[in-house]
Amino acid sequence: MRALERILSEKGYLDPSVLDRIVETYETRIGPHVGAGIVARAWVDPIFRASLLTDGTAAVRALGHDLRRTGHLTAVENTSEVHNLVVCTLCSCYPHDILGLPPVWYKSAPYRSRAVKDPRGMLAEMGVTIPHDVVVRVWDSTAEMRYLVVPERPAGTEGWREDELARLVTRDSMIGAGLIGRPAGYR
Amino acid sequence: MDGVHDMGGIDGFGPVEREQHEPTFHAPWEGRVLALTRAMGAARAWNLDMSRFTLERLPPAVYLTSSYYERWLLGLEANLVDHGIVAPDELAARRSLRHAPPPPGRLTVEQAAGFPGRGSFERPATRPARFGVGEAVRARNLHPAGHTRLPRYVRGHAGTVVAVHGCHVYPDSSVRGDEDPQWLYAVRFEGPELWGPDADPHLQVSVDAFEPYLEEA
């Protein structure tokens, strides 16, 4: 790595200090907390929720997120009838701007191979049980459209503030590979 | 190309293993590879589809046994060599031995701090979309030798258009440097259509498919 950095900076292709800035951005600024804020807003604001589900790109931009790497975003909502799951079978497409870098399991062969064929069985093994009569709807990110799952708002959170709700939203729930349980003894 | 990267539906890879409290990077070099890949993306010596196709052409055994960022590093080195920026003897010598043509772009520290973007892939339409939402379509049985984003597991199968995303850069042409924009659709397939009569009847799988991938069902 160091050799490659040296060669490219000697050739004028690279200012090595940019690498530190990029790493720092991924480690400190970009992450699932951004997506969690979007989900919490959708839970408390029906007008935002409607615009998010209609045109995710425009709705998220309107919140002030510039979606620099995620040119196009579709938000899909989990309900009592439909559970959404996001995968990239061909590589590792993922909405970096709002979820950060994908976890290793998302990029792994077991997930990429199985998410489109037996997602219900795979999710059950991951501890996420989806009732057999709930439709599992998988979104394979084969182009430059990125997907965000809006998980179901857990029961027992009526009246919660947006920032409190955001803290409940997990990365995996925004991929569709996690559920948000009813908070016990919280607050 | 029909490569091992096209993993949808392959059996035998074992369980999905989640890591608790996973760090952003497992070692500093992983972050450097990611950042260098981003910086070279900004240099625009090659495009996204070219870099994906480079990874797809890794030997199958290498692809399957390398970690994610190991693949990225192999891809980066291959792209640098293929595009005449770095020669193999320079990689061996671990230093620059000759000048390379200047890059079309170069990432500044300010841009890097602002999270290097890559802009929209949508382009103005030059003709109307051939399919509409609700229309029955079939993924064509295509097996191009080059780069494509039509996964094998949908080829030949019938589905329904559920969204029209607009006209986007077409990866199959973009890999050769020609954007050739095409209409892009979300197409939904039912589980049994893809995986046979024993498949989960309550499974639906959508892919984003470019117009040349589709025909009327």
Side-chain angles (χ1 to χ4, degrees):
Chain A
M1 259 321 288
R2 295 286 170 194
L4 208 49
E5 288 176 30
R6 178 182 168 188
I7 294 170
L8 288 169
S9 67
E10 284 170 356
K11 285 176 185 284
Y13 270 70
L14 181 72
D15 173 351
S17 60
V18 307
L19 302 185
D20 300 321
R21 294 288 85 71
I22 296 172
V23 170
E24 186 181 288
T25 299
Y26 274 102
E27 286 188 325
T28 61
R29 288 192 15 231
I30 305 292
H33 60 281
V34 180
I38 295 166
V39 168
R41 171 63 63 87
W43 284 348
V44 300
D45 180 347
I47 294 171
F48 175 74
R49 173 183 162 272
S51 67
L52 179 67
L53 296 175
T54 305
D55 183 348
T57 316
V60 169
R61 286 221 166 99
L63 277 190
H65 303 295
D66 55 6
L67 294 181
R68 297 181 57 80
R69 297 202 62 78
T70 308
H72 312 275
L73 184 74
T74 293
V76 291
E77 183 180 51
N78 285 348
T79 66
S80 54
E81 281 100 43
V82 176
H83 180 87
N84 293 281
L85 180 72
V86 181
V87 64
C88 173
T89 61
L90 296 175
C91 50
S92 57
C93 298
Y94 190 76
H96 287 197
D97 298 82
I98 56 174
L99 295 187
L101 287 172
V104 167
W105 62 261
Y106 181 89
K107 303 177 284 191
S108 72
Y111 184 74
R112 287 165 55 189
S113 58
R114 211 165 155 209
V116 292
K117 193 179 196 177
D118 180 25
R120 202 183 304 268
M122 179 194 74
L123 286 171
E125 285 178 15
M126 295 168 76
V128 179
T129 305
I130 309 298
H132 67 90
D133 56 343
V134 170
V135 169
V136 174
R137 189 174 284 166
V138 182
W139 301 88
D140 189 355
S141 315
T142 52
E144 297 316 314
M145 178 60 69
R146 298 289 168 262
Y147 290 90
L148 169 71
V149 175
V150 179
E152 278 190 275
R153 178 171 174 170
T157 59
E158 295 75 17
W160 284 37
R161 291 199 321 266
E162 197 174 324
D163 62 316
E164 296 173 313
L165 290 167
R167 285 198 292 275
L168 293 179
V169 182
T170 62
R171 176 195 66 202
D172 290 2
S173 74
M174 292 183 280
I175 304 172
L179 298 173
I180 305 173
R182 186 186 179 118
Y186 191 85
R187 209 182 177 204
Chain B
M1 64 180 280
D2 292 341
V4 288
H5 69 282
D6 185 358
M7 291 185 163
I10 297 178
D11 292 326
F13 283 122
V16 177
E17 287 173 9
R18 282 199 264 207
E19 180 184 347
Q20 293 299 315
H21 311 296
E22 183 177 328
T24 306
F25 301 108
H26 287 79
W29 71 267
E30 293 189 344
R32 306 299 285 184
V33 170
L34 174 96
L36 195 48
T37 303
R38 290 283 176 272
M40 290 311 294
R44 298 198 304 275
W46 56 79
N47 66 33
L48 177 65
D49 293 297
M50 294 170 186
S51 93
R52 284 192 182 135
F53 191 44
T54 299
L55 294 183
E56 291 162 11
R57 282 178 294 163
L58 288 173
V62 172
Y63 188 100
L64 292 174
T65 53
S66 305
S67 77
Y68 186 71
Y69 289 111
E70 283 169 353
R71 283 204 293 272
W72 274 38
L73 181 54
L74 290 169
L76 195 54
E77 289 178 351
N79 280 323
L80 289 167
V81 171
D82 289 352
H83 291 271
I85 298 165
V86 176
D89 59 343
E90 295 178 303
L91 290 175
R94 303 173 65 81
R95 61 189 177 88
S96 175
L97 300 175
R98 57 191 77 83
H99 291 293
R106 188 167 185 268
L107 199 62
T108 65
V109 176
E110 292 72 31
Q111 288 167 332
F115 200 43
R118 53 179 198 175
S120 172
F121 285 77
E122 190 164 6
R123 298 291 180 269
T126 56
R127 55 189 177 278
R130 185 173 159 194
F131 306 110
V133 170
E135 207 162 326
V137 291
R138 184 176 296 278
R140 296 174 67 198
N141 184 22
L142 303 170
H143 296 270
H147 176 62
T148 188
R149 297 291 289 180
L150 180 67
R152 269 202 295 276
Y153 73 90
V154 301
R155 296 177 194 169
H157 292 292
T160 306
V161 172
V162 294
V164 181
H165 293 315
C167 221
H168 286 228
V169 172
Y170 182 46
D172 303 45
S173 299
S174 167
V175 72
R176 297 187 298 269
D178 173 11
E179 289 199 343
D180 184 22
Q182 300 287 342
W183 285 94
L184 178 66
Y185 307 89
V187 180
R188 179 175 297 161
F189 300 86
E190 299 294 326
E193 167 69 19
L194 295 177
W195 310 112
D198 297 332
D200 186 343
H202 299 301
L203 166 63
Q204 298 176 336
V205 182
S206 295
V207 304
D208 287 324
F210 291 87
E211 197 167 274
Y213 299 165
L214 302 172
E215 59 194 7
E216 279 89 2

